[in-house]
Amino acid sequence: ATGVDTKGAFEIIAGHAGIGYSTPVDAKEFKNSAVTELNKIKTEALQKKDPWQVYNNVPENAPAFKPEKDLAYVLEKNNWRLAATYEYRNRGAGLLGYVVRVLDEDGKKQTLPVSYCHNTKANIDGWRLKGFSDNGYKPIYGAEKLEQSPLQKVLIVEGEKAADVATKIFPEYTVISWMGGSAAASKANWKAVGGREVTVWPDNDAAGKKAAIAIITEINKVNGFRGAASIVDIDALNLPQKWDLADELPAHLTRKDLA
């Protein structure tokens, strides 16, 4: 909280605990006092409520999200360039928030959630770089399409960009993704695709394949392990490492090979 190094932190803790360097102290006693004080500091910090509270659903009268304007300060401060904006809705088409893709000076990407929030201290609303959920779950990108096409087969891919591209490649599918990348694959509400024919197309890396297994496991739980969900055998396609459906198609493949 104060920006000091580890040694400085222990000096502060020692001061709070009434321990001075000039007085010999039993090592175990010092450690117990330091840990107790550190835990107290952490607890107090967590209890300081963030005044910006996220709306569960964006109010209908909320101003339209304009990333260049609403995020102007953080974009300029971090020297980020806005690359894309993705809209998240729930199955009833209610607006939950956005994810923005930004690039730094070196072209390294980040995807960041944007929520509509209320500041309880200043009594104002605004768009903020804060996470949001769908009733406690990681939101599904394209969830509203599941209601719009209830009989269509479902294709799950990793990432909003890949989902948008895959929608064009596979119009016979309802293509969806989820927020948070491979590490959050099991945290979405996959009950939304229960009972439907589902195919998961993983990114071609270890994390992507692990995420696909996590998704299939959750869907099988919903379906009572009756099947109807499968993973594309991307190894058979001889794809480049980390390749996904948003990338340029390798020379040895055509779009028909992906079907």
Side-chain angles (χ1 to χ4, degrees), residues 124-185:
I124 57 173
D125 292 341
W127 294 100
R128 306 284 294 182
L129 281 178
K130 289 181 70 69
F132 57 91
S133 72
D134 187 358
N135 288 320
Y137 292 95
K138 286 290 185 181
I140 292 176
Y141 181 62
E144 71 279 8
K145 296 189 293 184
L146 295 170
E147 292 295 307
Q148 295 165 3
S149 304
L151 301 179
Q152 203 169 35
K153 295 181 291 185
V154 177
L155 178 64
I156 302 175
V157 302
E158 184 179 334
E160 300 90 359
K161 184 178 180 181
D164 287 350
V165 173
T167 296
K168 299 174 182 177
I169 299 175
F170 306 109
E172 69 276 20
Y173 283 85
T174 295
V175 183
I176 60 175
S177 185
W178 71 96
M179 181 189 289
S182 58

Side-chain angles (χ1 to χ4, degrees), residues 64-86:
F65 175 51
K66 298 178 180 179
E68 293 86 354
K69 175 184 176 182
D70 295 317
L71 303 180
Y73 174 74
V74 291
L75 291 174
E76 183 178 353
K77 178 183 177 182
N78 295 283
N79 203 16
W80 287 338
R81 178 171 61 84
L82 185 69
T85 302
Y86 304 102

Side-chain angles (χ1 to χ4, degrees), residues 58 62-65 70 95 97-98 114-117 125-129:
V58 178
F65 175 51
D70 295 317
L95 182 60
Y98 294 87
V114 180
S115 306
Y116 194 66
C117 305
D125 292 341
W127 294 100
R128 306 284 294 182
L129 281 178

Side-chain angles (χ1 to χ4, degrees), residues 190-198 215-230:
W190 297 117
K191 292 179 182 178
V193 296
R196 297 178 65 158
E197 185 176 342
V198 178
I215 292 170
I216 289 293
T217 300
E218 293 301 315
I219 295 174
N220 283 336
K221 289 179 184 177
V222 173
N223 291 338
F225 296 91
R226 294 192 301 269
S230 61

